[in-house]
Amino acid sequence: VDAPYRRADLGLAVGALSFDAGYELLGDSAAGGAFQTPLATLHAFNGWADVFTTTPADGLRDLWLGCGAGLGAWKLQAAYHDFAADAGGADYGSELDASVVFTTPWKQKLALEVALYDAEEFGTDTDKVFVWTQWGF
């Protein structure tokens, strides 16, 4: 499969605030198939709802905007993704991801994450809520 891959990110941090924007292309191939990353965690890149754990046959274009804030022990983060096909012009849908992480004085992180995927021409509407904890040393 001869399929293109491109990614561009732009970020800005001002004090406790951060802003980023980006574009990622997991392209389709004229011979059939699409750019795949079988060993990668796409959860971190193509939306937390995990709709795109495998690249669709027509490829995937992901355009996103994000922001975050560090407020003492609290870390807030949000991102908006607009997904489309690389070939054929399909509008796959959009997703809003948001998280709140609190770090305790004993280095334990407590987190709440929400993913809201609004399907257009790919998949189905998918909403997920994650609650997790991590303990550091």
Side-chain angles (χ1 to χ4, degrees):
V1 175
D2 183 16
Y5 174 81
R6 292 181 186 85
R7 182 178 173 102
D9 297 274
L10 180 63
L12 172 68
V14 180
L17 301 176
S18 64
F19 305 92
D20 66 316
Y23 172 80
E24 185 174 37
L25 168 69
L26 290 92
D28 78 318
S29 170
F35 187 90
Q36 301 291 333
T37 55
L39 301 177
T41 173
L42 297 180
H43 176 89
F45 299 99
N46 299 127
W48 297 344
D50 298 323
V51 174
F52 298 102
T53 54
T54 301
T55 307
D58 288 335
L60 176 65
R61 293 176 184 252
D62 179 8
L63 178 64
W64 76 91
L65 297 171
C67 62
L71 306 169
W74 295 89
K75 182 179 177 185
L76 311 173
Q77 184 179 2
Y80 175 81
H81 296 264
D82 183 49
F83 298 111
D86 180 39
D91 177 9
Y92 287 159
S94 60
E95 182 170 330
L96 178 63
D97 299 327
S99 72
V100 176
V101 180
F102 175 72
T103 303
T104 67
W106 55 90
K107 297 183 182 178
Q108 182 179 7
K109 292 183 180 183
L110 306 168
L112 173 67
E113 296 180 348
V114 176
L116 308 171
Y117 175 71
D118 182 24
E120 293 294 331
E121 299 177 57
F122 185 86
T124 59
D125 290 352
T126 304
D127 299 340
K128 291 187 177 184
V129 176
F130 302 90
V131 178
W132 57 268
T133 186
Q134 176 182 1
W135 208 321
F137 299 96

